[in-house]
Amino acid sequence: MPTLADAATRATMTARIGTLNPESPARWGRMTAPQMLAHCADAMRMAYGDLPCAPKDVPLARLGISKWLVLNVVPFPKGAPTAPELLARTPEHWDAERDSLVGLVERFDRERTRTAWPAHPLFGTLTSAQWGQLTWKHLDHHLRQFGA
């Protein structure tokens, strides 16, 4: 499974982000490209603990098998509900938003050795390896949404 802990994977992600423009059309969903960048940047901030998100009470999601399936088998569903905190912000200027997301992707290299990560609002406790997989999978999902 790809992970943001891998330098080549991060480089591929940042290159894909660089192919987007503010007018990139969505293949599904209601987000615009600028909204998607803001959403993905805020999801990365949540992973690092910079943006708190309220926990969701879905006990089955916290089971090890559920986490494993989401991380390793099941694709991100199109139109899945998301934490309202990850949709609340108005996007900044395109270049600033894009550069911010690239910086947050690169930050994973410095953060990957952390021993304590914030709880995910749906999945609860995740290891550094799991956060690397989940953040990659989330970014990949949204970059594919916009053809990148």
Side-chain angles (χ1 to χ4, degrees), residues 127-142:
T127 66
S128 181
Q130 290 170 325
W131 272 114
Q133 288 176 275
L134 186 61
T135 52
W136 175 85
K137 195 168 189 176
H138 182 248
L139 284 170
D140 177 67
H141 169 80
H142 283 294

Side-chain angles (χ1 to χ4, degrees), residues 88-129:
R89 186 168 62 85
T90 301
E92 298 175 19
H93 181 269
W94 177 260
D95 292 334
E97 201 67 66
R98 185 190 58 227
D99 293 348
S100 175
L101 180 56
V102 167
L104 289 160
V105 168
E106 289 300 325
R107 181 177 165 189
F108 202 88
D109 185 48
R110 298 185 309 276
E111 300 282 347
R112 65 188 166 89
T113 59
R114 288 171 72 159
T115 56
W117 287 77
H120 186 277
L122 184 60
F123 299 116
T125 303
L126 296 175
T127 66
S128 181

Side-chain angles (χ1 to χ4, degrees), residues 61-86:
R62 295 179 188 269
L63 294 176
I65 189 68
S66 297
K67 288 184 206 181
W68 184 85
L69 285 170
V70 168
L71 290 172
N72 298 290
V73 179
V74 180
F76 261 67
K78 297 173 183 172
T82 190
E85 297 91 341
L86 303 182

